[in-house]
Amino acid sequence: MTSQPETTAEQGPDPREALEKFVLDNEELARLEERTSQFNIFEALGIVRQEIRHSNFLAWLMNPAQAHGLGDSFLKAFLMKTSVKARMRGIETISPVDVDVWDLTETEIRREWKNIDILLVEYTKRFICLIENKIYSSEHSDQLRCYREVVEREFRDYTRHYVLLNVSGEEPSDSEYYVGVTYDEVCDVIERLLKMRASTIGDEVTIALSHYVTMIRRRVMPDREIQELCRRIYSKHRAALDLIYEHRPDRQGEIADALLKMIKADPDFTLVRSSKEFIDFFPKLWDRPELQRGTWSKTAMMVLFQFMNSSQWNPNSLGFGLLVGPGDENVRRQIYEAAEKTGSPFTPNPNGLSDKWMRLFWKEILNAAVYDDLDLDFEWIQARLQEAWSAFKSNELPLMINLIDQAFPQNTACLPAGR
């Protein structure tokens, strides 16, 4: 009878033994769970990774007219902190001394005005502040400079203040004008206000602000205590944690596989490229010479459908869009003008043709909760994807086919029955 070889150091620890050691009598793991498991309303609502929700909350805090009991206190504290930081970096902007004495209770707060995340307008003081908010995405397409130029055109004789709010504190691309501010600094402002205004802020607002700060410190900004606990646990239980990571659920991959399966099973579409983040395809009715003048895909197709599956531009959600890529400018202009003429559901950029990319249609299909909740039954997700695919083919696809036919009239074949 052949004996089994003994486990050697080269073979590594037994996986079952490593997992047992990890879960038994692990005081540091218990501390970590206690530190991260406290109830938080913002985490419960699933807004941790939703940039637009953070912008909404901050705009609410900055608005003196809202019922948070802070008046213009947060707005003034934020402007003073960012103006001091800007001046230290040699950026010409408002004086914190002026902000301190100003009455900002009539400040207008705009959201997504000309695609700018937050715009603060004070008409009496002739002052404007532009805030670009980035949580899990980065700058792209020279957007800071573009937004600044829009503000300069629209508010020519105003004092202007430009802020890039992000997690990492990265230097803004348009650094001659923008000051970079971190979420950690925003939390400092909120915590200081909570201490100073404790007797005048209502309990509900105090709880909301405290939960927001906790969520930012715990889930967005690095928490030093949590970092140290994680380092110690990983150092002590590396084999078990590597094993867990190797077999972790891959929600992004599951969704990408399901989308690919639907597209490949449909004879009316051609797949262009696919990854976990992006899936590009087009209807075979668009296999026409006038559309094959692009410079961004192997098919030279200028107009594509795209799924963005938790990509850097669309973190922790699934969206679907109609894109026109770089290529023949006459083709691009004809499609843009047709979308502009058609209107809803198409949303061409009101500022005109972009240099490279145009997104004429966008729709969110799955939100962050689907990606965050790994216990969610994937059969339920597949059913939602199938519903979205059927709705697209019944509702949006005919409109998009008609859009291209308007841009390039010809005697086209009818869509298949039921499309």
Side-chain angles (χ1 to χ4, degrees):
M1 178 177 180
T2 305
S3 60
Q4 296 294 324
E6 294 183 3
T7 301
T8 64
E10 287 75 13
Q11 291 175 301
D14 177 69
R16 184 179 295 276
E17 182 181 346
L19 288 172
E20 288 176 352
K21 287 182 178 179
F22 176 67
V23 298
L24 294 174
D25 299 322
N26 193 337
E27 294 183 5
E28 289 170 331
L29 180 61
R31 281 184 60 198
L32 181 62
E33 289 176 346
E34 181 182 4
R35 183 75 174 79
T36 58
S37 62
Q38 297 170 347
F39 172 76
N40 186 283
I41 185 62
F42 293 95
E43 293 175 1
L45 293 174
I47 75 165
V48 175
R49 293 177 176 268
Q50 296 188 23
E51 196 168 87
I52 192 171
R53 305 294 184 230
H54 286 274
S55 293
N56 287 342
F57 186 77
L58 292 173
W60 175 77
L61 268 184
M62 291 175 178
N63 193 340
Q66 293 293 342
H68 43 54
L70 294 170
D72 62 359
S73 297
F74 177 79
L75 175 59
K76 292 177 76 168
F78 178 84
L79 291 175
M80 289 173 67
K81 189 175 189 69
T82 56
S83 64
V84 167
K85 192 171 183 180
R87 285 175 165 244
M88 288 175 62
R89 284 159 172 72
I91 300 172
E92 185 178 345
T93 186
I94 52 172
S95 164
V97 176
D98 288 340
V99 175
D100 189 38
V101 298
W102 279 352
D103 177 359
L104 296 177
T105 54
E106 299 299 320
T107 302
E108 178 184 336
I109 313 296
R110 300 184 186 181
R111 281 282 290 115
E112 296 297 336
W113 178 79
K114 296 191 182 295
N115 296 320
I116 294 169
D117 288 329
I118 303 175
L119 194 72
L120 315 174
V121 187
E122 218 302 323
Y123 297 100
T124 304
K125 307 295 187 299
R126 313 292 291 177
F127 165 72
I128 193 160
C129 175
L130 183 162
I131 303 172
E132 178 63 16
N133 183 22
K134 296 292 183 187
I135 297 241
Y136 293 101
S137 60
S138 302
E139 297 178 48
H140 58 90
S141 303
D142 204 18
Q143 65 182 146
L144 294 186
R145 179 186 59 79
C146 293
Y147 293 162
R148 173 175 57 80
E149 290 175 351
V150 168
V151 167
E152 288 173 349
R153 287 195 303 269
E154 299 286 337
F155 300 90
R156 293 181 181 276
D157 59 345
Y158 276 55
T159 301
R160 296 179 286 267
H161 184 49
Y162 303 100
V163 177
L164 173 64
L165 175 60
N166 59 32
V167 173
S168 63
E170 67 184 56
E171 187 76 6
S173 59
D174 201 15
S175 58
E176 184 179 349
Y177 298 91
Y178 283 81
V179 58
V181 179
T182 70
Y183 265 86
D184 197 34
E185 292 171 296
V186 170
C187 288
D188 289 342
V189 172
I190 295 175
E191 288 174 330
R192 185 166 177 266
L193 281 177
L194 285 173
K195 291 178 182 178
M196 294 174 58
R197 301 287 299 274
S199 61
T200 59
I201 303 176
D203 292 342
E204 296 88 350
V205 175
T206 299
I207 292 171
L209 295 181
S210 299
H211 277 227
Y212 186 73
V213 169
T214 298
M215 180 267 292
I216 293 293
R217 301 254 194 242
R218 187 160 70 189
R219 299 291 299 277
V220 178
M221 298 300 298
D223 185 307
R224 292 182 182 86
E225 182 183 350
I226 291 177
Q227 285 179 331
E228 181 58 28
L229 277 171
C230 290
R231 277 194 291 266
R232 291 206 298 266
I233 292 172
Y234 185 73
S235 177
K236 188 175 180 180
H237 301 281
R238 180 170 182 170
L241 288 168
D242 286 348
L243 190 64
I244 292 170
Y245 186 79
E246 181 182 349
H247 297 284
R248 73 194 186 282
D250 183 6
R251 180 53 47 82
Q252 184 190 35
E254 291 173 336
I255 291 172
D257 289 343
L259 293 171
L260 274 175
K261 185 176 180 180
M262 287 193 308
I263 296 168
K264 289 180 177 179
D266 196 313
D268 296 332
F269 296 95
T270 297
L271 180 69
V272 176
R273 65 168 183 169
S274 65
S275 67
K276 282 187 179 182
E277 291 187 321
F278 302 101
I279 300 175
D280 299 335
F281 62 103
F282 64 89
K284 291 181 178 177
L285 284 173
W286 286 357
D287 194 3
R288 299 159 52 170
E290 60 266 36
L291 298 179
Q292 295 174 344
R293 299 177 185 175
T295 59
W296 66 292
S297 76
K298 63 182 181 181
T299 64
M301 179 63 67
M302 292 184 64
V303 192
L304 294 176
F305 299 136
Q306 183 178 82
F307 282 111
M308 293 180 101
N309 180 24
S310 191
S311 72
Q312 60 175 325
W313 309 119
N314 193 50
N316 259 31
S317 62
L318 175 67
F320 174 78
L322 174 64
L323 277 69
V324 181
D328 188 301
E329 284 304 306
N330 290 329
V331 173
R332 287 162 51 80
R333 180 161 296 282
Q334 285 178 254
I335 297 172
Y336 174 86
E337 290 175 352
E340 197 174 37
K341 181 179 179 181
T342 303
S344 180
F346 303 107
T347 54
N349 188 335
N351 295 324
L353 282 168
S354 63
D355 293 337
K356 293 183 179 180
W357 300 92
M358 287 193 297
R359 190 164 74 182
L360 301 180
F361 172 84
W362 182 253
K363 181 179 183 180
E364 185 175 276
I365 298 173
L366 298 175
N367 61 25
V370 173
Y371 291 81
D372 290 337
D373 186 1
L374 295 178
D375 293 327
L376 190 63
D377 184 4
F378 191 68
E379 289 186 3
W380 181 91
I381 297 175
Q382 286 180 306
R384 302 291 80 74
L385 293 176
Q386 191 61 57
E387 287 175 6
W389 181 250
S390 298
F392 157 69
K393 294 183 66 177
S394 299
N395 303 326
E396 288 96 10
L397 179 60
L399 297 176
M400 294 173 183
I401 296 292
N402 288 336
L403 174 73
I404 297 303
D405 288 344
Q406 288 179 37
F408 306 98
Q410 67 170 22
N411 293 324
T412 57
C414 294
L415 283 171
R419 298 294 194 266

